[in-house]
Amino acid sequence: MSLTTYWLEHAWLGTHVEPGVTLEVTDDGRIGALRTGAETPPPGAEVLRGLTLPGLANAHSHAFHRALRGAVQVGSGTFWTWRELMYRAAQNLTPDTYFALARAVYAEMALAGITNVGEFHYVHHAPGGTPYADPNAMGEALIEAAAAAGIRITLLDTAYLSSGFGEAPNAHQQRFSDGTAEAWAERVGALKARPHALIGAAVHSVRAVPADQLATVARWAEERRAPLHVHLSEQTAENDACQAAHGRTPTQLLADHGVLGPRTTGVHNTHLTDVDIALLGGTGTGTCMCPTTERDLADGIGPATRLQRAGSPLSLGSDSHAVIDLLEEARAMELNERLRSRTRGHWTANALLTAATGDGHAALGLPDAGRLEAGALADFTTIALDSVRTAGPLPRLGAETAVFAAAAADVRHTVVGGRHVVRDGHHTLVGDVPSALADSIAALRS
């Protein structure tokens, strides 16, 4: 049975832009049929003018980092000085304040065409490390926030046990830690998937999970066929410390303990050796690039082209939310490589959109999302082709226009499970997203 028929003025079908497409949504929120050659909308169809893409997948998010936007742009410093400001924001989170902030952040994502977020979640306990009455209160707040904002979430519950290669967590990190990987696994086991939410796992980093406990996290994910993510080689200091502690790179250490594989995604993968790249590609381990955060924190430019050639699928994330704009992440990955290589055209617009859609959803455990085809989840977003940024190019160049000219501000509609979450640029569930952001961020300062 069909609930809704949409008429797409133009649709990106993975390889090209097709004009005049009808898309039927079934009662279980999937695409029941997709037909081309519809020059005019059929009677009763919802009309989506512009370019419709599969919903965008934000494969790496720390929702509370949104509270740092602007505040961390004063003065200079490094990743490590930025981290001190991040810790202060984390200290003021409670389940209630985190729900309010995450609801607003996820609504901002929906306005940017994002239909699924991978939330790399490590603020588990109360300040000082005391568990809440519900040990998963913070994770539940994030799951509920995604529902309230109308998007899907893969909660990547994160093991964070050490301040660095076996050292005890510092005062800021105590609320991140379960003590041991076994205790982490016991807590996470109580989290349940929901129609809009999957439960995955994460190793925060090789510095934050002792080597002899990495296999416990990897085994938990393997037994559940769940996605497993890890911050990997974001900083040269981490690489140097890993070499000093273990005589190998972080990638080699993860390989030794069974962490790599096709359901694993390394986030950043910035400072890698040739051996590292071969290990990641050879095991099918994914790479999530977060260019706007990597440039904001002066991390460096990761070897994305070499990783993809080696066999590592690429996805994209907004990470610290310096901006929330997956089109900008896609554009930045290509433009960063142009700056480094002084040549153009490392990825086609189609390839960049695939990283932002299908491959991103696959990295989050949703291989049945990120495509406009029968049977896929009915998650899609429409970008205006008549804004000051996008007007002019021929519609058949819509993919190039979306990646190299459009911005989150050009998102006109976002549909999740066949339901309008954003209509004509307005969120249907969160009436005033800017106020929700301002109020929830102000609450963390009080």
mmCIF file of all heavy atoms in Angstrom, residues 221-251:
data_model
loop_
_atom_site.group_PDB
_atom_site.id
_atom_site.type_symbol
_atom_site.label_atom_id
_atom_site.label_comp_id
_atom_site.label_asym_id
_atom_site.label_seq_id
_atom_site.Cartn_x
_atom_site.Cartn_y
_atom_site.Cartn_z
ATOM 1 N N ALA A 221 31.205 -5.619 19.261
ATOM 2 C CA ALA A 221 30.644 -5.182 17.976
ATOM 3 C C ALA A 221 30.502 -6.346 17.013
ATOM 4 O O ALA A 221 29.499 -6.463 16.297
ATOM 5 C CB ALA A 221 31.524 -4.085 17.376
ATOM 6 N N GLU A 222 31.489 -7.228 16.977
ATOM 7 C CA GLU A 222 31.452 -8.362 16.061
ATOM 8 C C GLU A 222 30.272 -9.280 16.369
ATOM 9 O O GLU A 222 29.568 -9.732 15.458
ATOM 10 C CB GLU A 222 32.768 -9.145 16.151
ATOM 11 C CG GLU A 222 32.799 -10.424 15.333
ATOM 12 C CD GLU A 222 32.715 -10.203 13.845
ATOM 13 O OE1 GLU A 222 33.105 -9.112 13.380
ATOM 14 O OE2 GLU A 222 32.255 -11.121 13.136
ATOM 15 N N GLU A 223 30.039 -9.548 17.637
ATOM 16 C CA GLU A 223 28.950 -10.454 18.022
ATOM 17 C C GLU A 223 27.594 -9.905 17.617
ATOM 18 O O GLU A 223 26.661 -10.665 17.361
ATOM 19 C CB GLU A 223 28.993 -10.703 19.527
ATOM 20 C CG GLU A 223 30.177 -11.574 19.963
ATOM 21 C CD GLU A 223 30.328 -11.645 21.471
ATOM 22 O OE1 GLU A 223 29.602 -10.894 22.186
ATOM 23 O OE2 GLU A 223 31.177 -12.433 21.951
ATOM 24 N N ARG A 224 27.471 -8.590 17.570
ATOM 25 C CA ARG A 224 26.192 -7.951 17.241
ATOM 26 C C ARG A 224 26.135 -7.470 15.799
ATOM 27 O O ARG A 224 25.151 -6.845 15.406
ATOM 28 C CB ARG A 224 25.940 -6.795 18.206
ATOM 29 C CG ARG A 224 25.661 -7.292 19.627
ATOM 30 C CD ARG A 224 25.935 -6.234 20.674
ATOM 31 N NE ARG A 224 25.679 -6.756 22.010
ATOM 32 C CZ ARG A 224 26.528 -7.545 22.674
ATOM 33 N NH1 ARG A 224 27.698 -7.886 22.134
ATOM 34 N NH2 ARG A 224 26.212 -7.988 23.895
ATOM 35 N N ARG A 225 27.215 -7.704 15.034
ATOM 36 C CA ARG A 225 27.298 -7.206 13.653
ATOM 37 C C ARG A 225 27.045 -5.704 13.620
ATOM 38 O O ARG A 225 26.370 -5.178 12.723
ATOM 39 C CB ARG A 225 26.308 -7.933 12.737
ATOM 40 C CG ARG A 225 26.249 -9.440 12.920
ATOM 41 C CD ARG A 225 27.548 -10.121 12.557
ATOM 42 N NE ARG A 225 27.786 -10.145 11.123
ATOM 43 C CZ ARG A 225 28.917 -10.605 10.565
ATOM 44 N NH1 ARG A 225 29.904 -11.041 11.335
ATOM 45 N NH2 ARG A 225 29.062 -10.602 9.260
ATOM 46 N N ALA A 226 27.575 -5.015 14.604
ATOM 47 C CA ALA A 226 27.330 -3.580 14.781
ATOM 48 C C ALA A 226 28.496 -2.769 14.228
ATOM 49 O O ALA A 226 29.641 -3.238 14.215
ATOM 50 C CB ALA A 226 27.146 -3.250 16.267
ATOM 51 N N PRO A 227 28.242 -1.536 13.794
ATOM 52 C CA PRO A 227 29.349 -0.679 13.372
ATOM 53 C C PRO A 227 30.277 -0.363 14.539
ATOM 54 O O PRO A 227 29.836 -0.252 15.694
ATOM 55 C CB PRO A 227 28.662 0.590 12.856
ATOM 56 C CG PRO A 227 27.239 0.501 13.260
ATOM 57 C CD PRO A 227 26.935 -0.897 13.643
ATOM 58 N N LEU A 228 31.553 -0.227 14.224
ATOM 59 C CA LEU A 228 32.588 0.080 15.208
ATOM 60 C C LEU A 228 33.441 1.213 14.643
ATOM 61 O O LEU A 228 34.014 1.071 13.557
ATOM 62 C CB LEU A 228 33.452 -1.158 15.477
ATOM 63 C CG LEU A 228 34.694 -0.978 16.359
ATOM 64 C CD1 LEU A 228 34.304 -0.511 17.756
ATOM 65 C CD2 LEU A 228 35.480 -2.288 16.435
ATOM 66 N N HIS A 229 33.506 2.327 15.364
ATOM 67 C CA HIS A 229 34.274 3.481 14.904
ATOM 68 C C HIS A 229 35.409 3.773 15.879
ATOM 69 O O HIS A 229 35.355 3.384 17.046
ATOM 70 C CB HIS A 229 33.371 4.712 14.767
ATOM 71 C CG HIS A 229 32.424 4.637 13.605
ATOM 72 N ND1 HIS A 229 32.056 5.754 12.871
ATOM 73 C CD2 HIS A 229 31.771 3.592 13.017
ATOM 74 C CE1 HIS A 229 31.212 5.385 11.910
ATOM 75 N NE2 HIS A 229 31.023 4.089 11.982
ATOM 76 N N VAL A 230 36.423 4.487 15.397
ATOM 77 C CA VAL A 230 37.576 4.823 16.223
ATOM 78 C C VAL A 230 38.240 6.080 15.682
ATOM 79 O O VAL A 230 38.458 6.208 14.476
ATOM 80 C CB VAL A 230 38.579 3.637 16.276
ATOM 81 C CG1 VAL A 230 38.973 3.167 14.881
ATOM 82 C CG2 VAL A 230 39.819 3.985 17.101
ATOM 83 N N HIS A 231 38.563 7.037 16.567
ATOM 84 C CA HIS A 231 39.432 8.147 16.185
ATOM 85 C C HIS A 231 40.817 7.577 15.904
ATOM 86 O O HIS A 231 41.410 6.916 16.767
ATOM 87 C CB HIS A 231 39.571 9.162 17.327
ATOM 88 C CG HIS A 231 38.354 9.966 17.611
ATOM 89 N ND1 HIS A 231 37.902 10.194 18.892
ATOM 90 C CD2 HIS A 231 37.500 10.629 16.800
ATOM 91 C CE1 HIS A 231 36.830 10.963 18.853
ATOM 92 N NE2 HIS A 231 36.564 11.240 17.591
ATOM 93 N N LEU A 232 41.360 7.873 14.732
ATOM 94 C CA LEU A 232 42.612 7.223 14.351
ATOM 95 C C LEU A 232 43.600 8.225 13.768
ATOM 96 O O LEU A 232 43.306 8.885 12.764
ATOM 97 C CB LEU A 232 42.327 6.109 13.332
ATOM 98 C CG LEU A 232 43.520 5.303 12.833
ATOM 99 C CD1 LEU A 232 44.289 4.668 13.978
ATOM 100 C CD2 LEU A 232 43.053 4.238 11.851
ATOM 101 N N SER A 233 44.755 8.328 14.408
ATOM 102 C CA SER A 233 45.881 9.123 13.899
ATOM 103 C C SER A 233 45.463 10.528 13.504
ATOM 104 O O SER A 233 45.866 11.052 12.463
ATOM 105 C CB SER A 233 46.560 8.407 12.713
ATOM 106 O OG SER A 233 47.277 7.285 13.173
ATOM 107 N N GLU A 234 44.666 11.152 14.380
ATOM 108 C CA GLU A 234 44.283 12.544 14.134
ATOM 109 C C GLU A 234 45.450 13.482 14.395
ATOM 110 O O GLU A 234 45.577 14.517 13.737
ATOM 111 C CB GLU A 234 43.097 12.918 15.038
ATOM 112 C CG GLU A 234 42.588 14.332 14.848
ATOM 113 C CD GLU A 234 41.392 14.654 15.729
ATOM 114 O OE1 GLU A 234 41.010 13.815 16.559
ATOM 115 O OE2 GLU A 234 40.836 15.758 15.573
ATOM 116 N N GLN A 235 46.297 13.104 15.357
ATOM 117 C CA GLN A 235 47.404 13.958 15.778
ATOM 118 C C GLN A 235 48.724 13.189 15.730
ATOM 119 O O GLN A 235 48.787 12.017 16.115
ATOM 120 C CB GLN A 235 47.161 14.455 17.215
ATOM 121 C CG GLN A 235 45.967 15.377 17.358
ATOM 122 C CD GLN A 235 46.215 16.716 16.711
ATOM 123 O OE1 GLN A 235 47.326 17.254 16.777
ATOM 124 N NE2 GLN A 235 45.202 17.266 16.078
ATOM 125 N N THR A 236 49.781 13.878 15.312
ATOM 126 C CA THR A 236 51.096 13.228 15.301
ATOM 127 C C THR A 236 51.555 12.897 16.710
ATOM 128 O O THR A 236 52.276 11.907 16.913
ATOM 129 C CB THR A 236 52.134 14.116 14.604
ATOM 130 O OG1 THR A 236 52.159 15.400 15.232
ATOM 131 C CG2 THR A 236 51.806 14.286 13.122
ATOM 132 N N ALA A 237 51.138 13.685 17.705
ATOM 133 C CA ALA A 237 51.538 13.404 19.092
ATOM 134 C C ALA A 237 51.017 12.047 19.538
ATOM 135 O O ALA A 237 51.693 11.323 20.283
ATOM 136 C CB ALA A 237 51.046 14.506 20.017
ATOM 137 N N GLU A 238 49.808 11.693 19.120
ATOM 138 C CA GLU A 238 49.268 10.381 19.463
ATOM 139 C C GLU A 238 50.079 9.278 18.801
ATOM 140 O O GLU A 238 50.374 8.239 19.422
ATOM 141 C CB GLU A 238 47.807 10.287 19.039
ATOM 142 C CG GLU A 238 47.180 8.926 19.306
ATOM 143 C CD GLU A 238 45.718 8.885 18.905
ATOM 144 O OE1 GLU A 238 45.448 8.569 17.725
ATOM 145 O OE2 GLU A 238 44.866 9.170 19.758
ATOM 146 N N ASN A 239 50.447 9.475 17.535
ATOM 147 C CA ASN A 239 51.274 8.487 16.851
ATOM 148 C C ASN A 239 52.601 8.282 17.571
ATOM 149 O O ASN A 239 53.055 7.149 17.761
ATOM 150 C CB ASN A 239 51.544 8.930 15.411
ATOM 151 C CG ASN A 239 50.322 8.821 14.522
ATOM 152 O OD1 ASN A 239 49.253 8.435 14.957
ATOM 153 N ND2 ASN A 239 50.491 9.190 13.263
ATOM 154 N N ASP A 240 53.234 9.391 17.970
ATOM 155 C CA ASP A 240 54.529 9.303 18.650
ATOM 156 C C ASP A 240 54.391 8.575 19.987
ATOM 157 O O ASP A 240 55.240 7.730 20.335
ATOM 158 C CB ASP A 240 55.095 10.704 18.893
ATOM 159 C CG ASP A 240 55.453 11.427 17.597
ATOM 160 O OD1 ASP A 240 55.565 10.750 16.552
ATOM 161 O OD2 ASP A 240 55.595 12.659 17.645
ATOM 162 N N ALA A 241 53.335 8.873 20.726
ATOM 163 C CA ALA A 241 53.139 8.217 22.022
ATOM 164 C C ALA A 241 52.851 6.729 21.853
ATOM 165 O O ALA A 241 53.292 5.901 22.660
ATOM 166 C CB ALA A 241 51.989 8.893 22.776
ATOM 167 N N CYS A 242 52.122 6.371 20.796
ATOM 168 C CA CYS A 242 51.833 4.959 20.539
ATOM 169 C C CYS A 242 53.116 4.211 20.171
ATOM 170 O O CYS A 242 53.340 3.073 20.631
ATOM 171 C CB CYS A 242 50.796 4.849 19.427
ATOM 172 S SG CYS A 242 50.156 3.176 19.167
ATOM 173 N N GLN A 243 53.957 4.838 19.364
ATOM 174 C CA GLN A 243 55.236 4.222 19.027
ATOM 175 C C GLN A 243 56.075 4.008 20.276
ATOM 176 O O GLN A 243 56.705 2.951 20.449
ATOM 177 C CB GLN A 243 55.995 5.097 18.025
ATOM 178 C CG GLN A 243 55.473 5.042 16.603
ATOM 179 C CD GLN A 243 55.917 3.793 15.850
ATOM 180 O OE1 GLN A 243 56.609 2.937 16.396
ATOM 181 N NE2 GLN A 243 55.500 3.674 14.595
ATOM 182 N N ALA A 244 56.073 5.002 21.169
ATOM 183 C CA ALA A 244 56.867 4.883 22.393
ATOM 184 C C ALA A 244 56.332 3.779 23.297
ATOM 185 O O ALA A 244 57.100 3.049 23.933
ATOM 186 C CB ALA A 244 56.866 6.225 23.133
ATOM 187 N N ALA A 245 55.003 3.636 23.370
ATOM 188 C CA ALA A 245 54.396 2.663 24.279
ATOM 189 C C ALA A 245 54.401 1.248 23.711
ATOM 190 O O ALA A 245 54.551 0.271 24.450
ATOM 191 C CB ALA A 245 52.968 3.089 24.607
ATOM 192 N N HIS A 246 54.201 1.136 22.371
ATOM 193 C CA HIS A 246 53.968 -0.192 21.794
ATOM 194 C C HIS A 246 54.890 -0.538 20.628
ATOM 195 O O HIS A 246 54.819 -1.669 20.117
ATOM 196 C CB HIS A 246 52.512 -0.298 21.317
ATOM 197 C CG HIS A 246 51.510 -0.154 22.419
ATOM 198 N ND1 HIS A 246 51.344 -1.106 23.395
ATOM 199 C CD2 HIS A 246 50.637 0.852 22.706
ATOM 200 C CE1 HIS A 246 50.397 -0.708 24.241
ATOM 201 N NE2 HIS A 246 49.953 0.475 23.853
ATOM 202 N N GLY A 247 55.695 0.415 20.177
ATOM 203 C CA GLY A 247 56.605 0.128 19.085
ATOM 204 C C GLY A 247 55.916 -0.060 17.749
ATOM 205 O O GLY A 247 56.460 -0.720 16.850
ATOM 206 N N ARG A 248 54.744 0.538 17.594
ATOM 207 C CA ARG A 248 53.996 0.417 16.337
ATOM 208 C C ARG A 248 53.045 1.590 16.209
ATOM 209 O O ARG A 248 52.819 2.324 17.168
ATOM 210 C CB ARG A 248 53.230 -0.911 16.275
ATOM 211 C CG ARG A 248 52.192 -1.094 17.358
ATOM 212 C CD ARG A 248 51.882 -2.576 17.574
ATOM 213 N NE ARG A 248 53.079 -3.254 18.043
ATOM 214 C CZ ARG A 248 53.512 -4.426 17.577
ATOM 215 N NH1 ARG A 248 52.850 -5.045 16.610
ATOM 216 N NH2 ARG A 248 54.592 -4.984 18.060
ATOM 217 N N THR A 249 52.505 1.773 15.028
ATOM 218 C CA THR A 249 51.567 2.866 14.807
ATOM 219 C C THR A 249 50.205 2.511 15.398
ATOM 220 O O THR A 249 49.908 1.326 15.645
ATOM 221 C CB THR A 249 51.388 3.141 13.309
ATOM 222 O OG1 THR A 249 50.726 2.020 12.704
ATOM 223 C CG2 THR A 249 52.720 3.393 12.623
ATOM 224 N N PRO A 250 49.318 3.493 15.602
ATOM 225 C CA PRO A 250 47.967 3.179 16.056
ATOM 226 C C PRO A 250 47.236 2.203 15.145
ATOM 227 O O PRO A 250 46.535 1.301 15.616
ATOM 228 C CB PRO A 250 47.287 4.554 16.080
ATOM 229 C CG PRO A 250 48.394 5.511 16.367
ATOM 230 C CD PRO A 250 49.570 4.959 15.610
ATOM 231 N N THR A 251 47.384 2.355 13.823
ATOM 232 C CA THR A 251 46.726 1.440 12.892
ATOM 233 C C THR A 251 47.235 0.016 13.087
ATOM 234 O O THR A 251 46.446 -0.948 13.114
ATOM 235 C CB THR A 251 46.967 1.889 11.443
ATOM 236 O OG1 THR A 251 46.451 3.209 11.264
ATOM 237 C CG2 THR A 251 46.290 0.951 10.457
#
